[in-house]
Amino acid sequence: MKIGILTSGGDCPGLNSTIRGVCKIAMNHYDMEVYGIYNGFRGLLDDDITRLTDESTTGLLTMGGTILGTSREKLFRKRSSSINDHKSAAMLKTIEKHELDCLVCIGGTGTQKTAFDLMEAGIKVVTIPKTIDNDVWGTDMSFGFDSAVSIASDAIDRLHSTASAHQRVMVIEVMGHKTGWLALYSGMAGGGDIILLPEIPFNIHSIGDTIINRLKKGKPYSIVVVAEGIATPEGKKAAQYIAEEIEYETGFETRETVLGYIQRGGSPTAYDRNIATLMGGHAVELISSGDFGKMVALRDGRIVSVPLAEVKDKLREVTSDHDLIVQGKKMGICFG
Ligand code: F6P
């Protein structure tokens, strides 16, 4: 069998570990051939493909980024599932030319949708969820998330000492797109006093009250963790808006930090490396048993698969009954 493999959407730690897992298991155990498709779906359009070997997939376990490159290339029109005609022809030509039997698409929410549309167009696909946002529906965890949580919580740790030294409010904005998983997990792990998520509406007066109450208890500084996706007035970034509002509401000197792409860079955590290997291996098992149209998923601690038809178009959001929120509230953490 000949497998094509691609990475699509924003990069994250663990992509190379997953490529390694797929390749080594497919080549060494199942005697399959694996072809790397460069720059996401764009490589299918440009016929930018190379045969991967044991040698070319050595040393990938700890490496950040993706050796295949990535892009946010869209194959399908936005509102309908109809593929652009010229793109369809180019893509099918590439798949036929290299005699690829199926594709392994590693990506986030957009990739799951594109892979489903490809399946509808007659191509055999299996997908693996990756994203620092952890917003792919159908899996308890996407690889990349644990690494990003670790980077963001380390950054929050470092803000504590400077916040305390200057008696300031520190607002830190973390990624997460439209969901608050990264803000919740890093905010709780980093000891945030106020954690704002897109899923929970906030009230600036309760945020101000939390900061003032901390002062009354002898804590003249506060750490505010905000998800980039919270509601803000047109044109205002999350951290900038919240910092301005806090300063206006409390009179406290407030500073903002936008963590940015550091959250997506560098080596994956041990947890992400192992999840990447397990997910890569499961994707190959699905292929070997002809079980296509599925996304590999982690559910209740086990690696399983879910139909792409169930995954596409859905977003995995934080709910207010999440254990971290319930226990956090009992500790006095303000969630808005
Ligand atoms: O989906 C991952 C992510 O890093 C989001 O957290 C963020 O909103 C977005 O990608 C940034 O996208 P880009 O790489 O296109 O700037």
Side-chain angles (χ1 to χ4, degrees), residues 72-290:
R72 295 196 187 273
E73 178 73 44
K74 298 258 185 307
L75 293 176
F76 297 87
R77 293 195 183 97
K78 260 205 165 156
R79 287 190 207 304
S80 71
S81 277
S82 68
I83 194 162
N84 284 317
D85 288 345
H86 70 284
K87 287 190 176 179
S88 167
M91 190 187 65
L92 292 172
K93 203 169 144 197
T94 306
I95 290 173
E96 276 165 22
K97 177 180 164 191
H98 297 276
E99 297 174 325
L100 299 180
D101 294 299
C102 63
L103 298 179
V104 176
C105 306
I106 308 170
T109 50
T111 304
Q112 308 308 326
K113 168 89 177 85
T114 303
F116 175 80
D117 291 340
L118 277 176
M119 183 187 102
E120 293 282 278
I123 294 159
K124 291 175 180 154
V125 291
V126 163
T127 68
I128 303 176
K130 67 87 216 174
T131 170
I132 63 163
D133 304 334
N134 208 31
D135 59 353
V136 177
W137 192 90
T139 182
D140 296 341
M141 192 82 81
S142 298
F143 74 79
F145 177 65
D146 185 67
S147 305
V149 168
S150 160
I151 296 162
S153 50
D154 182 55
I156 298 166
D157 287 350
R158 286 171 190 279
L159 286 178
H160 276 276
S161 55
T162 175
S164 146
H166 285 265
Q167 306 196 345
R168 282 172 173 160
V169 176
M170 287 290 182
V171 179
I172 177 165
E173 177 181 316
V174 298
M175 284 185 168
H177 202 218
K178 292 177 181 163
T179 66
W181 292 105
L182 192 47
L184 176 63
Y185 274 68
S186 62
M188 288 299 289
D193 306 301
I194 294 153
I195 302 172
L196 303 180
L197 321 175
E199 294 90 338
I200 301 179
F202 60 87
N203 178 323
I204 202 69
H205 304 306
S206 16
I207 295 172
D209 287 348
T210 307
I211 292 167
I212 290 162
N213 285 337
R214 279 177 53 79
L215 173 66
K216 287 181 187 157
K217 286 182 189 160
K219 296 169 186 169
Y221 72 95
S222 291
I223 303 290
V224 185
V225 181
V226 300
E228 65 176 352
I230 61 161
T232 57
E234 186 78 25
K236 292 254 179 183
K237 293 277 192 191
Q240 179 203 4
Y241 172 65
I242 293 297
E244 283 171 8
E245 290 291 306
I246 287 174
E247 216 161 51
Y248 181 77
E249 182 77 17
T250 64
F252 266 64
E253 195 175 34
T254 306
R255 293 283 191 269
E256 73 209 47
T257 301
V258 179
L259 200 52
Y261 293 89
I262 287 167
Q263 292 161 97
R264 278 175 24 185
S267 189
T269 56
Y271 179 83
D272 273 341
R273 291 177 202 179
N274 288 336
I275 285 292
T277 301
L278 292 175
M279 287 188 165
H282 195 81
V284 182
E285 282 163 17
L286 291 174
I287 293 168
S288 106
S289 53

Side-chain angles (χ1 to χ4, degrees), residues 32-52:
M32 295 171 178
E33 288 180 18
V34 187
Y35 290 77
I37 300 162
Y38 287 110
N39 305 318
F41 294 104
R42 195 187 295 157
L44 280 179
L45 302 175
D46 300 344
D47 186 13
D48 198 1
I49 291 188
T50 192
R51 170 114 185 242
L52 297 173

Side-chain angles (χ1 to χ4, degrees), residues 270-319:
Y271 179 83
D272 273 341
R273 291 177 202 179
N274 288 336
I275 285 292
T277 301
L278 292 175
M279 287 188 165
H282 195 81
V284 182
E285 282 163 17
L286 291 174
I287 293 168
S288 106
S289 53
D291 199 0
F292 297 104
K294 298 276 176 68
M295 180 186 83
V296 177
L298 177 72
R299 280 193 175 174
D300 301 324
R302 295 197 57 235
I303 303 289
V304 294
S305 63
V306 264
L308 277 173
E310 283 178 27
V311 174
K312 68 163 188 112
D313 299 330
K314 292 197 191 112
L315 196 63
R316 183 170 176 270
E317 294 181 313
V318 178
T319 52

